């Protein structure tokens, strides 16, 4: 293995010369030649073997947020930051976290015969295909959903497909009520917390969420440990906090949950309502869900609700449903819900340009995991540490950035984006000047590069990937473009498949990772990168070092690739002469969003006036085209131009926030109220149309119009 890893390290370096020569013209630089030399020096440093060592260390033990093992990973990361020469601190927050004490789920048929009792521990046969060396660690917590309340409920079961709003509406059309019932839904299509959010609105008293083999199990391919897909007892853990209402510590929306924060500044735990479920929710494997589904009577489910288990799915109610074929489930969840300490690790490289050093470039990845978290998130942490390794070598060679670089290793992301949100809320004032936030989370699940970004940074990401060699040959950009039409693997966040400029497609930012507080609360332009593959063990015991080295990146060559891409993002934004924001593309996309919303309103027979909003969008687009020309031939001192470029993004915030969820302030992008991860564009307007609520939609059109005119005026005045 050592020899193979050494070869994997050397081969990309051979390709590096090809990727670096000749120096291209890069947006934001008057002359890119010097930066190209710096990039080449940086890219020679990230080491696959070292990335593998980081990953092995970080995933040696389960490290749920606030655990002693989680703190040990914070110390490890802090030590690597310090060794690279970063000004490093471990920052504490005191936040509300849910830890399972007892979880008991039983199912019975109409005669009282017990169908299942669980949850069944996650386990694969140790004698087949190498087994799994990590599955029996006594520190593994029972599979649970963070933010679920305790509960002891018994009720009849109704199957509700993926638990989307459309699914619950379909049940209602079929005359099936979930009031007083326990709803069984499968993972997929929307954020798990939204399944509970909708279920409780429809009157359910409990939710069970299972992983169907159609989505990430044997229907997709061989199960672990033979293949990469979820085995029979594999369970997807995850938070059911209502992220689209607000992320972060549930007791402190909008303010930092520092250890010395008085209780008077917190929402009391017994008063939490907005973003915490009121009904118990727990995940199941398909091993445990199958007996329930198989015994359900009632009508056959709609055929597109059928999963891959080998029997016909029924709804459990309606039609031929009788007392004789009902299934009853008893859920007893005992959760320890308390304020606990978490640890962010913050490393800083101070900028040297007096006029720009406070314009921070922030980059980050979370470190906590539901269990081992080899792919999610520590493949990203390992890559980030090699990025820091490369930056440290440049510092030793005398390089210093113009703008201050801040690297964050966030904690408790899995519980609700908590570590990043609390830090961003604590530093809100200076982050108003931050020029970018770069995120990686699932750094490497396989070989297929993917990215999401605000439109102003899409071209920036493309240009960075044109410099980095791919282990497949050519550049990351070349392979990314070639892979665009390949089937998308199961992934935590849904990406957009649209491209308005004919280039490689880059997704929109919804939620589900740590860019959320930066772009959607504070208006910091953001990107998110990862490398995907057939990843079927998400949030389970089996997302561990053994799975990773068998199926994701055996030689850690893609860890090296991601370290290089992440590092070049940081370097370019820290030292660019002119901020490389593309408002021309941004304007084009916003006009498209409004035109699509106008068509949607027409189909719903809503009489909305789009005149002012479309005029503002076209004004913004024209200003974006004009400023692009100024950026290409900038003044000798671009300080005022850069300030205007940055302020134009912040002007797109609505200080009043979105209806029902004012923490989200961005008028162009937000996670959907009923999607959770996936982005809704011009969310105030589109959600008003979807409601349908004409007065609300018209009011949000006015707020959007004002934001676009504010931003356009800033760009028009820039010189």
């Amino acid at each position: 293995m050592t020899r193979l890893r050494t070869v994997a390290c050397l081969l990309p370096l051979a390709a590096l010369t090809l990727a670096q020569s000749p120096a291209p013209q890069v947006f934001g630089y008057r002359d890119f030649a010097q930066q190209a030399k710096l990039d080449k020096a940086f890219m020679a440093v990230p080491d696959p073997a070292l990335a593998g060592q980081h990953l092995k260390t970080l995933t040696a033990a389960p490290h749920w947020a606030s655990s002693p093992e989680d703190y040990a990973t914070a110390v490890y990361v802090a030590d690597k930051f310090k060794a690279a020469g970063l000004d490093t601190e471990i920052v504490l927050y005191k936040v509300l976290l849910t830890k399972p004490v007892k979880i008991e789920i039983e199912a019975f048929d109409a005669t009282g015969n017990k169908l299942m009792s669980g949850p069944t521990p996650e386990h694969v046969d140790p004698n087949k295909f190498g087994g799994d060396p990590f599955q029996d660690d006594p520190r593994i917590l029972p599979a649970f959903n963070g933010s679920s309340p305790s509960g002891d409920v018994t009720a009849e079961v109704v199957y509700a497909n993926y638990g989307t709003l459309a699914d619950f509406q379909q049940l209602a059309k079929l005359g099936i009520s979930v009031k007083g019932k326990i709803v069984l839904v499968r993972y997929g299509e929307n954020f798990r917390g939204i399944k509970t959010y909708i279920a409780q609105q429809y009157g359910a008293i409990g939710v069970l969420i299972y992983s169907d083999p159609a989505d990430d199990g044997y229907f997709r391919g061989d199960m672990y440990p033979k293949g990469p897909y979820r085995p029979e007892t594999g369970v997807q853990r995850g938070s059911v906090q209502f992220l689209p209402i607000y992320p972060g510590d549930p007791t402190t929306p909008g303010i930092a949950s520092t250890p010395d924060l008085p209780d008077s500044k917190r929402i009391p735990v017994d008063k939490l309502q907005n973003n915490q479920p009121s009904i118990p929710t727990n995940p199941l494997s398909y091993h445990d869900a199958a007996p329930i589904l198989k015994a359900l009577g009632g009508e056959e489910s709609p055929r597109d609700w059928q999963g891959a288990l080998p029997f016909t799915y029924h709804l459990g109610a309606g039609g031929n449903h009788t007392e004789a074929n009902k299934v009853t489930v008893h859920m007893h969840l005992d959760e320890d819900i308390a304020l606990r300490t978490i640890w962010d690790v913050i490393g800083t490289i101070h900028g040297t340009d007096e006029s720009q050093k406070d314009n921070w470039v922030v980059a980050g990845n979370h470190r906590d995991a539901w269990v081992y978290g080899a792919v999610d998130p520590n493949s990203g942490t390992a890559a980030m540490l090699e990025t820091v390794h490369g930056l440290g070598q440049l510092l030793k060679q005398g390089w210093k950035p113009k703008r201050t670089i801040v690297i964050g290793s966030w904690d408790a992301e899995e519980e609700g984006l908590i570590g990043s949100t609390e830090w961003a809320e604590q530093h809100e004032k200076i982050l108003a000047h931050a020029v970018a936030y770069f995120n990686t989370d699932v750094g490497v699940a396989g070989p297929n590069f993917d990215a999401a970004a605000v439109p102003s940074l899409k071209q920036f990401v493309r240009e960075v990937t044109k410099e980095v060699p791919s282990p497949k040959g050519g550049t990351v950009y070349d392979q990314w473009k070639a892979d665009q039409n390949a089937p998308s693997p199961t992934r935590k966040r849904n990406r957009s498949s649209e491209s308005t400029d004919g280039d490689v497609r880059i997704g929109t930012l919804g939620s589900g990772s740590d860019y959320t507080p930066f772009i959607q609360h504070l208006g910091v332009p953001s990107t998110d990168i990862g490398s995907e593959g057939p990843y079927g063990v998400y949030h389970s015991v089996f997302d561990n070092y053994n799975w990773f080295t068998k199926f994701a990146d055996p030689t850690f060559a893609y860890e090296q690739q991601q370290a290089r891409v992440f590092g070049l993002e940081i370097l370019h934004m820290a030292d660019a002469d002119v901020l490389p924001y593309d408002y021309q593309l941004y304007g084009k996309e916003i006009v498209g969003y409004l035109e699509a919303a106008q068509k949607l309103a027409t189909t719903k027979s809503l009489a909305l006036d789009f005149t002012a909003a479309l005029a503002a969008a076209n004004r913004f687009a024209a200003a974006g085209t004009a400023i692009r020309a100024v950026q290409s031939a900038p003044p000798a001192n671009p300080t005022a131009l850069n300030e205007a470029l940055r302020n134009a993004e912040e002007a797109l915030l609505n200080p009043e926030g979105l209806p029902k969820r004012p923490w989200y302030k961005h008028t162009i992008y937000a996670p959907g109220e009923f999607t959770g991860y996936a982005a809704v564009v011009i969310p105030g307007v589109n959600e008003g149309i979807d409601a349908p609520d004409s007065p609300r939609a018209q009011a949000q059109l006015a707020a959007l119009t004002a934001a676009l005119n504010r931003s356009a005026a800033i760009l028009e005045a820039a010189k």
Side-chain angles (χ1 to χ4, degrees):
M1 284 295 286
T2 302
R3 185 173 182 180
L4 285 174
R5 290 178 188 172
T6 302
V7 171
C9 181
L10 294 175
L11 286 177
L13 292 181
L16 202 54
T17 304
L18 295 176
Q20 286 288 326
S21 182
Q25 287 296 113
V26 173
F27 187 47
Y29 287 87
R30 291 188 179 89
D31 183 353
F32 190 69
Q34 188 59 38
Q35 183 67 50
K37 294 177 183 177
L38 190 70
D39 291 357
K40 185 175 181 180
F42 165 79
M43 284 200 288
V45 178
D47 185 332
L50 289 177
Q53 291 173 21
H54 298 319
L55 188 68
K56 191 172 187 178
T57 301
L58 291 163
T59 61
H63 52 285
W64 176 71
S66 81
S67 67
E69 294 81 8
D70 178 43
Y71 178 69
T73 65
V75 172
Y76 180 84
V77 169
D79 286 346
K80 297 301 178 185
F81 281 13
K82 291 173 186 175
L86 277 63
D87 184 359
T88 303
E89 60 179 333
I90 296 179
V91 181
L92 282 63
Y93 296 101
K94 194 174 181 181
V95 303
L96 194 71
L97 296 179
T98 300
K99 184 178 182 180
V101 176
K102 175 185 178 182
I103 297 176
E104 183 179 77
I105 298 169
E106 298 175 305
F108 304 88
D109 65 17
T111 66
N113 179 52
K114 187 179 288 187
L115 300 170
M116 61 79 66
S117 179
T120 302
E122 292 176 278
H123 201 269
V124 296
D125 190 331
N127 299 314
K128 292 183 178 179
F129 307 108
D132 182 88
F134 295 94
Q135 62 188 356
D136 297 322
D137 193 306
R139 293 169 293 186
I140 297 169
L141 294 175
F144 74 108
N145 284 131
S147 285
S148 171
S150 297
D152 191 347
V153 297
T154 302
E156 188 177 347
V157 176
V158 173
Y159 173 58
N161 194 29
Y162 288 109
T164 65
L165 181 59
D167 292 335
F168 281 97
Q169 290 170 338
Q170 176 74 355
L171 285 175
K173 288 177 183 177
L174 293 171
I176 298 171
S177 172
V178 301
K179 188 173 183 180
K181 305 291 200 309
I182 290 173
V183 175
L184 177 64
V185 297
R186 52 176 167 156
Y187 274 112
E189 296 298 317
N190 61 356
F191 168 57
R192 71 188 74 80
I194 298 306
K195 301 174 193 294
T196 301
Y197 179 69
I198 302 169
Q200 72 180 36
Q201 290 180 32
Y202 274 78
I205 63 170
V207 177
L208 294 171
I209 315 175
Y210 81 101
S211 299
D212 196 284
D215 299 304
D216 62 5
Y218 58 74
F219 187 79
R220 301 290 302 278
D222 283 331
M223 295 185 296
Y224 180 75
K226 183 179 182 181
Y229 288 102
R230 192 176 302 272
E232 187 176 354
T233 57
V235 184
Q236 181 189 142
R237 296 152 178 80
S239 173
V240 289
Q241 179 178 350
F242 299 159
L243 283 181
I245 306 302
Y246 64 89
D249 173 41
T251 71
T252 61
I255 59 174
S257 190
T258 54
D260 59 353
L261 186 73
D263 289 345
S264 61
K265 298 288 187 181
R266 295 179 182 272
I267 302 173
V269 173
D270 61 355
K271 298 289 194 300
L272 289 173
Q273 295 177 344
N274 287 338
N275 86 333
Q276 297 289 285
S278 60
I279 60 176
T281 303
N282 210 74
L284 290 178
S285 64
Y286 57 84
H287 172 86
D288 285 343
I292 302 173
L293 282 164
K294 188 173 184 178
L296 281 181
E299 295 184 6
E300 287 186 9
S301 67
R303 290 302 77 208
D304 58 352
W305 290 25
Q306 175 71 38
L309 292 169
F311 46 78
T312 300
Y313 291 18
H314 289 75
L315 298 175
N320 62 353
H321 183 62
T322 67
E323 287 294 313
N325 58 20
K326 75 176 183 179
V327 175
T328 300
V329 161
H330 173 222
M331 297 177 65
H332 182 190
L333 309 185
D334 184 3
E335 310 281 8
D336 177 12
I337 303 171
L339 292 173
R340 293 181 163 88
T341 298
I342 62 169
W343 306 275
D344 286 351
V345 184
I346 306 298
T348 303
I349 302 172
H350 297 283
T352 57
D353 186 320
E354 284 299 320
S355 67
Q356 299 187 84
K357 65 181 183 181
D358 289 338
N359 300 337
W360 290 0
V361 176
V362 186
N365 157 266
H366 80 94
R367 192 185 65 255
D368 66 294
W370 289 107
V371 193
Y372 298 100
V375 170
D376 181 12
N378 294 128
S379 64
T381 311
M384 185 174 75
L385 288 177
E386 281 308 287
T387 294
V388 169
H389 179 199
L391 296 176
Q393 291 300 308
L394 295 185
L395 287 171
K396 290 177 182 177
Q397 295 169 21
W399 165 81
K400 292 181 180 179
K402 293 178 183 177
R403 303 177 181 94
T404 294
I405 296 170
V406 180
I407 312 290
S409 175
W410 314 119
D411 204 355
E413 185 268 2
E414 296 292 4
E415 306 293 330
L417 319 182
I418 295 178
S420 57
T421 297
E422 300 313 306
W423 187 85
E425 289 173 342
Q426 185 176 8
H427 298 86
E428 180 173 354
K429 187 173 181 180
I430 194 162
L431 288 173
H433 306 288
V435 295
Y437 173 70
F438 300 130
N439 191 64
T440 189
D441 185 340
V442 176
V444 179
N448 303 317
F449 183 83
D450 191 25
V454 292
S456 57
L457 290 179
K458 288 185 177 182
Q459 189 58 27
F460 172 82
V461 174
R462 291 167 181 150
E463 288 185 340
V464 163
T465 61
K466 288 176 180 178
E467 279 194 73
V468 179
S470 168
K472 296 180 185 178
T475 66
V476 173
Y477 176 85
D478 295 333
Q479 293 299 333
W480 185 13
K481 197 166 188 178
D483 291 339
Q484 282 275 300
N485 294 323
S488 297
T490 300
R491 183 170 167 83
K492 177 176 172 177
R493 301 176 298 281
N494 293 317
R495 305 286 188 168
S496 167
S497 61
E498 298 178 0
S499 177
T500 59
D501 57 357
D503 206 328
V504 65
R505 298 186 298 275
I506 298 181
T508 51
L509 294 169
S511 188
S513 198
D514 293 302
Y515 53 78
T516 295
F518 294 95
I519 180 60
Q520 291 154 352
H521 186 63
L522 301 177
V524 181
S526 300
T527 73
D528 183 37
I529 64 167
S531 190
E532 300 181 339
Y535 172 40
V537 295
Y538 172 62
H539 284 188
S540 75
V541 164
F542 308 114
D543 183 0
N544 58 40
Y545 186 80
N546 187 64
W547 185 96
F548 187 90
T549 54
K550 286 182 75 170
F551 301 113
D553 191 13
T555 65
F556 305 101
Y558 289 95
E559 288 285 338
Q560 180 186 54
Q561 169 190 288
Q562 294 304 98
R564 287 168 168 171
V565 174
F566 202 54
L568 291 195
E569 284 191 297
I570 295 166
L571 285 171
H572 287 196
M573 192 60 72
D575 283 339
D577 300 311
V578 176
L579 294 174
Y581 301 158
D582 184 357
Y583 282 107
Q584 183 173 342
L585 176 59
Y586 211 153
K588 183 178 179 181
E589 294 207 358
I590 292 172
V591 170
Y593 299 156
L594 270 167
E595 290 174 344
Q598 188 175 34
K599 290 178 182 177
L600 180 62
T602 300
T603 64
K604 289 180 174 286
S605 301
L606 297 181
L608 299 177
D609 186 354
F610 280 79
T611 306
L614 283 167
N618 281 298
R619 177 188 176 189
F620 177 81
T625 300
I627 202 69
R628 177 79 188 222
V630 176
Q631 289 169 277
S632 298
N637 183 352
T639 301
L641 173 60
N642 283 330
E643 184 176 0
L645 289 165
R646 175 61 184 87
N647 290 344
E649 178 73 53
E650 189 176 358
L652 294 173
L653 300 180
N654 178 0
E656 296 181 3
L658 292 174
K660 300 197 289 183
R661 45 199 187 117
W663 188 92
Y664 287 93
K665 299 184 183 301
H666 208 284
T667 59
I668 312 301
Y669 299 107
E673 180 185 357
F674 295 108
T675 62
Y677 281 156
V680 172
V681 298
I682 52 172
V685 176
N686 275 318
E687 290 184 342
I689 294 170
D690 286 337
D693 183 338
S694 292
R696 173 176 150 194
Q698 195 66 61
Q700 289 300 301
L701 276 167
L704 175 61
T705 299
L708 290 169
N709 280 327
R710 281 195 303 271
S711 188
I714 291 168
L715 294 175
E716 288 164 352
K719 296 179 181 179

